[in-house]
Structures are given as structure tokens and as C-alpha cells.
Amino acid sequence: MASILLGSIADDFTGATDLANNLVRAGMRVVQTVGVPDVALDESVDAVVVSLKSRTIAPEAAVRESLEALNWLKAQQARQIYFKYCSTFDSTDQGNIGPVTDALMDALDCDFTIAAPAFPDAARTVFQGHLFVGEALLNESGMQDHPLTPMHDPNLVRVLQRQTRQAVGLVSYRDVNDSAQAIQSRFAQLRKQGVGIAIADVVHNDDLLRLGQACQALPLVTGGSGLALGLPANFGIEPNHQSAQLPLAQGLRAVVSGSCSRATQSQVQHFIEQGGQAFAIDPLSVHDDPNALVEITAQAVDAAKRGLVLVYSTTTPQQLSDVQQQLGVQQAGALMEQSLAQVACALVRAGVGQLIVAGGETSGAVVQALQISQLRIGAQIDAGVPWCFGHAGRPSSAQPLHISLKSGNFGGVDFFTRAFEVLSA
Ligand code: ADP
């Protein structure tokens, strides 16, 4: 069995893809798994990102799942562990960043790690321990109104201290801006003071490279996806074209969109205006008549044989809220996720081998319905959205599939057509 260099545990699916994408850009060959794998890897790679759905579940469950992932990664002989969470530090006073970090430190017998959520390229910076989103402090960025993890305190030293048994300290910008050696001296100083976790200031993307270098000897690092840019070099890996290489794409092409975010609305509209074959799914029709979905699916499958096809439930905020009032928010969401997942399965059965899914939750539902358990990460189409390669269906009848999972607000207006050009280039 080939060993891996970097083993990552991500607390949600699209965050895992974001991390995997950064590792590929920095030169690593990466597989992302859906949950903790129960089978061996399909191929030998440098890094594995295990994606969990542990961001907002009960802390005990998050700890249990993260330790299961850790055990699997240790069995693959991972040399360093990376706990990935959101760049806006999404968590509550109960967790889950603190409790999961504590548990991983215990399991790895590790007395010091860093917490580095910043990713300046994505406008997330940390200065004197305070997290900024663009020019706004975290607690004035909209994150204070998040439905599950409202962030009312921008000082991450304080935020993390409320969640962890470890003493929390700060590696301030003075050291991060200086050199990897200065950062390591600060690590040593904090360690002597009994600090277990250090928040790291990061203002420019270059800071992540120095910080990554300074983390070479740490058994565990924690942070957002940005920290990934500085780690592969510690293993002698540099950016290269091979890391993103996937098998040749084959089969029919389709897009399935359940995202109602602004960027996706423009992408759907643009696709239709350009004369693309598009089929809308109306939640109320599908709710009232199960045959409606069967009919649209049949039409879409037929159209896919002629060329690229889009099936979408993407709609305007006004229509969305009307439907949500009639069916309920959860019910309408679940109905569309299941409907689009069903359509995706039918398209793949009919020979679609290149599939884009728009929407974070929608992607989760589609990947689950397609029974995809591992994805090799390929080239980036637009910032944060790569093509991936995996197998759909049971192992006995697995079908090769190129798939791109686009969360709501990602991608340019012509994403649905340009993505396929990137794939065949
Ligand atoms: P995003 O990444 O843009 O947030 P998601 O897929 O995560 O997209 O979330 C969109 C949610 O909206 C999903 O639960 C989806 O099923 C639901 N949805 C999509 N279209 C409709 C619609 N026409 N009416 C009601 N809910 C919808």
C-alpha cells in the first residue's frame, strides 16, 4: 500500500473540494473522499481529503467522526494531519473547531498546533488575531446573522479559547511577515508559555507560504484552505501540470442546477440566451404530480444525446419564497435536491460522462445518489471549482464520471459551457 504525505479532515464537502483544489495547485495529486472510506484508495496520491459533514453537528459526534477519519489517515501512514474548517471560523462556543482540535491533538500526542483560517486571495485576513472579511470585521461582515454559526466576536483568540481546553495564543504579523524562522521561534516561545494552539496572523498570500514552511515539523495543522498553499513544498513538491491530470473525458455532457444564488441565476440565464437545451423543474408541478419529473427526465435524456443539456430548478428570490411558503423551506429544498439527484442518476445511466452540478447542498445530494465515494481532483475551471474524476454506482457496475461541483456563488457567467472547453483542452 502506498503511503500518503498529507492527510486532511474537512468539516464540510465543498470546503474539502476547496482545500483539495489548493493542494493540486501547489503540486500534489489529491483524492477527496466522501466520508471516511471503507475501501482502499483507487490510486496512489500525495494527499487525501476526507470530507465530513461535521461543522454544525453535536461536538461529540464531530469528535467521533474526526477521530475515525484520523485513524483511517494514520492507517495510510499520513505524515502530517490537516484539520480544515471554514475561513470565517464558523463555530459556536460549544465547537466544533475547539473540541475537534483537542481530540486530534490528544490522539496525535501533540502539544502544539496552529489555527490559520485566513485566505487573503478570498479576502479573508487575520490581523492581531482579528478576522476580516474584505474590509469588514467578522462580526460586521454578515456572519453575525448566520443561521447556524453566528459570529459575534472577531477576536479569534477569544473565540477559540471559549471552545478548547488548550491555552490559545497568537503568532502576530510581526513574526509572520518576517520569516519562517521567526515564526518557529515564536512557536517555541508560545510552547514554553504553555500555549497549545496559536492563531496565526495572515494578511497576504505570501504569508501563507512562510507559515506553511514553519509548520513542517508539526504533526497537526488546522485552518482554512489557504494554508494548503504552503505545505506541499515541505515535502519537496512544487506546482506542476501532472498533479491536475485526469483520465480523458468521455460520454455525454450535462449540467444539473439546484442553486438559486445570484451567480448561478446569471449562468442559467446566459446558457438559455445562448440557445442551450434547458429544462426547468417546477417544484409545485413535481410536488403535485410525480409523473412531471419522469417526463422532464425523459426529455432531458433524449436531448443529452443531441448535445449539452441543462436541467435546473434555479429560480428568482421572489418565486423561491412563494414556493417555500406553500411547501415549507425544508420540504421544498429536499424535494428539489432529490428530484435533481434523480435526474442526474438517469442522465449518467443514459451515458452522461461529464457532469456539472450547481449548488452546495444539491451537490451533496447528487454525489450521494450517484454513490460516488472518491474523487480525484483535476484542473481548476474558475477560482475554487475544479473538475474531478470518480466512479458512479456500485463497484460491480461502476461508471467513470468527470464531475464538477460548483457551490452557489462561484464561477463566471459562461461557466456551464466554458467548463467543458477546459475539460477537452
Ligand atoms: P447554493 O450553493 O447556491 O447555496 P444549494 O444547492 O446549497 O445552492 O442550495 C439551494 C437549495 O435551494 C437546495 O436545497 C435546493 O433544493 C433548493 N431549491 C432549488 N431550487 C428551488 C426551487 N425552485 N424552489 C425551492 N427550493 C429550491
Side-chain angles (χ1 to χ4, degrees), residues 257-261 264 281 283 313-315 319-320 323-324 329 332-338 340 358-363 406-409:
S257 175
S259 158
C260 297
S261 299
T264 311
I281 297 189
S313 67
T314 306
T315 189
Q319 280 172 336
L320 182 64
V323 168
Q324 286 174 334
V329 174
L335 178 66
M336 285 302 91
E337 285 169 33
Q338 290 319 313
L340 290 165
E361 293 300 323
T362 309
S363 291
K406 185 195 84 75
S407 53
N409 270 322

Side-chain angles (χ1 to χ4, degrees), residues 20-21 24-25 30 242-246 375-381 385-389 402-403:
N21 184 50
V24 169
R25 283 167 65 207
V30 184
Q242 289 76 22
S243 64
Q245 236 158 38
L246 300 180
L375 286 170
R376 174 76 191 270
I377 310 298
Q380 172 169 287
I381 306 161
V385 200
W387 272 109
C388 309
F389 176 77
H402 284 75
I403 185 165

Side-chain angles (χ1 to χ4, degrees), residues 4 13 32 102 104 196 224 232 247-248 265 298 340 382 388 419:
I4 58 174
F13 189 87
Q32 174 179 349
D102 286 348
L104 294 174
L248 215 59
Q265 287 188 47
L340 290 165
D382 273 332
C388 309

Side-chain angles (χ1 to χ4, degrees), residues 24-359:
V24 169
R25 283 167 65 207
M28 283 186 154
R29 294 164 304 142
V30 184
V31 160
Q32 174 179 349
T33 70
V34 183
V36 181
D38 49 14
V39 290
L41 287 176
D42 287 346
E43 54 191 321
S44 136
V45 288
D46 303 311
V48 176
V49 182
V50 176
S51 49
L52 303 177
K53 209 170 183 300
S54 56
R55 183 168 296 168
T56 54
I57 61 177
E60 307 76 50
V63 164
R64 194 179 54 245
E65 289 182 22
S66 303
L67 289 177
E68 279 171 26
L70 175 68
N71 286 337
W72 187 86
L73 291 166
K74 274 163 85 177
Q76 318 305 308
Q77 297 162 14
R79 292 204 225 151
Q80 187 172 45
I81 300 298
Y82 186 145
F83 170 36
K84 153 76 174 72
Y85 39 78
C86 191
S87 60
T88 40
F89 217 73
D90 299 20
S91 53
T92 66
D93 287 353
Q94 282 68 49
N96 289 336
I97 296 175
V100 170
T101 304
D102 286 348
L104 294 174
M105 288 177 78
D106 286 348
L108 289 163
D109 203 13
C110 149
D111 70 346
F112 182 81
T113 188
I114 58 155
F119 191 6
D121 263 3
R124 269 56 159 179
T125 53
V126 175
F127 188 66
Q128 307 298 14
H130 289 67
L131 178 54
F132 292 81
V133 178
E135 292 176 2
L137 275 166
L138 177 64
N139 59 320
E140 297 168 9
S141 68
M143 279 303 293
Q144 69 274 25
D145 300 320
H146 191 282
L148 302 174
T149 52
M151 302 301 289
H152 296 295
D153 186 354
N155 181 327
L156 297 186
V157 176
R158 282 195 307 241
V159 170
L160 186 55
Q161 192 61 82
R162 290 194 284 266
Q163 301 178 27
T164 171
R165 287 187 265 108
Q166 316 284 335
V168 181
L170 174 69
V171 182
S172 77
Y173 195 62
R174 197 184 43 202
D175 296 314
V176 174
N177 185 40
D178 187 329
S179 63
Q181 290 72 25
I183 300 170
Q184 280 174 337
S185 304
R186 179 67 180 152
F187 285 176
Q189 200 182 26
L190 288 169
R191 239 173 169 144
K192 234 188 240 163
Q193 294 167 3
V195 167
I197 312 176
I199 301 290
D201 277 359
V202 168
V203 176
H204 301 288
N205 259 34
D206 281 358
D207 302 335
L208 291 167
L209 303 182
R210 283 188 296 278
L211 187 63
Q213 196 187 341
C215 290
Q216 182 156 27
L218 299 182
L220 172 71
V221 294
T222 86
S225 67
L227 185 61
L229 298 177
L231 297 180
N234 291 339
F235 300 97
I237 292 177
E238 290 179 349
N240 62 78
H241 290 303
Q242 289 76 22
S243 64
Q245 236 158 38
L246 300 180
L248 215 59
Q250 288 176 338
L252 307 175
R253 296 169 164 184
V255 182
V256 166
S257 175
S259 158
C260 297
S261 299
R262 216 175 281 167
T264 311
Q265 287 188 47
S266 313
Q267 288 154 354
V268 167
Q269 200 184 343
H270 180 80
F271 183 88
I272 295 169
E273 281 168 7
Q274 297 297 308
Q277 309 186 85
F279 297 87
I281 297 189
D282 172 38
L284 297 177
S285 315
V286 171
H287 180 259
D288 295 344
D289 172 15
N291 261 332
L293 186 64
V294 176
E295 276 169 34
I296 293 172
T297 307
Q299 289 172 14
V301 163
D302 220 35
K305 292 174 183 155
R306 294 192 292 274
L308 174 60
V309 65
L310 163 68
V311 182
Y312 66 99
S313 67
T314 306
T315 189
T316 58
Q318 182 57 50
Q319 280 172 336
L320 182 64
S321 96
D322 286 352
V323 168
Q324 286 174 334
Q325 266 176 13
Q326 291 189 56
L327 301 181
V329 174
Q330 299 295 336
Q331 290 81 350
L335 178 66
M336 285 302 91
E337 285 169 33
Q338 290 319 313
S339 301
L340 290 165
Q342 224 173 300
V343 172
C345 288
L347 287 165
V348 170
R349 271 197 307 271
V352 165
Q354 305 169 54
L355 178 68
I356 293 173
V357 186

